[in-house]
Amino acid sequence: MTDAPAGPLPGAVTPAARRTGSTDAAGADGSFRPMSGLLLRLLGGDEDETPRAVLRRLRSRAWTMPPLLLSLLAREGVPLGSGSADELRRARERAAVYDAILASVAGTGVRPLKGPSLARWYPADVVRPVGDLDLVAPDEPALWDVVRRLLREHPLEHVELAALWAQGTDHLIVGVYWPSADPLLDRGLNVEVSTFGYAGDGSAVPLRAGLPGDQTAADLLALAEERFQREFAVKDLLDVALVLTSAEAPDLADLVVTAAEYRLAPELGELTDRTADVLGLPALLPERVRTALADAAAWERDRRTRHTAQQPETGEVDGLSVMQRLDAGLPLHGLPLGDLGARPWPVSRYERFGDELVLRTPIGDFLLVGSEPVDPRRPAAVSAALRRKDTACEKERSGE
């Protein structure tokens, strides 16, 4: 016997219903209907607010949120003007680009986190807020395969890279950015590919490379992990509400066990409690599951306290050298040295130049730095040293 979710919310949809188009409908008088009413409760508003007022409030919170409300209003029969309709169209096209990228890596072992896999819990004609696409590669060669594909198929604006050492393994995260179709109005597109699923809090919660086998559990834990970076947002609460009130929600007892294994029981408990509180529900989880999650959260908080107490005193990290940061498991950020392009290499390698550390990758070279301001002469000097070394190596190979 599995633990049942709290029961469908108005406007909630199962992935199966999404595929068949069996979702709720409403009138065209401009008032809020079930699905947009759910969003209104998450915003802390009331049904006397006009859609225009709510839309303005959404814009002040997050640039990704307005298309969600516009799609809800269109779904409920509210006529959209030319500007609103075009904004909604651009948001759908943005999501379609990410869907196509995800489809292109199917079968490679690369998996998404959040994004399209959470969007399937929304009604088919509702746009889940989307900014970027997060992908997790099973290893470094798979990561570079994805990055090279992105560089071939999209007009590169810039690339961001970070490297870190954790649990005896080098890990990477690479962000590829390119302009949107309407760059004067919309932010650029961004795909982040990493060799790990969950970065942790930099202290008691370590990096966890692999993802849970169940995709929905992996997505929900990714939402919980966001708490290490920021407060939970409306989008997080809406995702959780739609998933956990669905008849096709994952087994909740298994979800608690997985959250405990991934050191995220406190954050998952906070996320589900917050969602239930905002929605005015007694609880989002059955009592037995809530008790198990609370016990797991208490154990994890105690583990973190003990871990912190056992750690030696550390000084300021800002003064650490690049190698000291790498040895300490702190991230290093890559500054590109010259133009980027595909190389026939499966993986990257480190090279030392005096006190400098360079990551030579299948798409180009990156000077690795900490969080300190960088003298612009440093990248230029290292780039020149790299060119001299490469020229000397080429001459040696050619027998000159």
Side-chain angles (χ1 to χ4, degrees), residues 24-91:
D24 62 323
D29 60 359
S31 61
F32 286 105
R33 290 296 186 255
M35 188 67 185
S36 49
L38 169 60
L39 176 61
L40 196 61
R41 294 203 298 279
L42 291 170
L43 284 168
D46 59 64
E47 302 217 1
D48 291 334
E49 281 192 276
T50 65
R52 181 183 179 187
V54 177
L55 188 62
R56 290 170 62 187
R57 191 137 58 94
L58 282 173
R59 290 196 193 281
S60 70
R61 290 203 176 193
W63 66 273
T64 59
M65 291 295 290
L68 167 64
L69 181 58
L70 292 175
S71 66
L72 290 172
L73 294 171
R75 180 173 185 263
E76 293 166 3
V78 178
L80 300 184
S82 60
S84 299
D86 192 60
E87 182 175 1
L88 181 55
R89 176 190 59 79
R90 299 196 310 271

Side-chain angles (χ1 to χ4, degrees), residues 148 151 156 338-344 361-364:
R148 279 188 290 242
L151 294 186
L156 175 68
D339 295 334
L340 301 178
R343 289 167 166 167
T361 82
I363 65 165

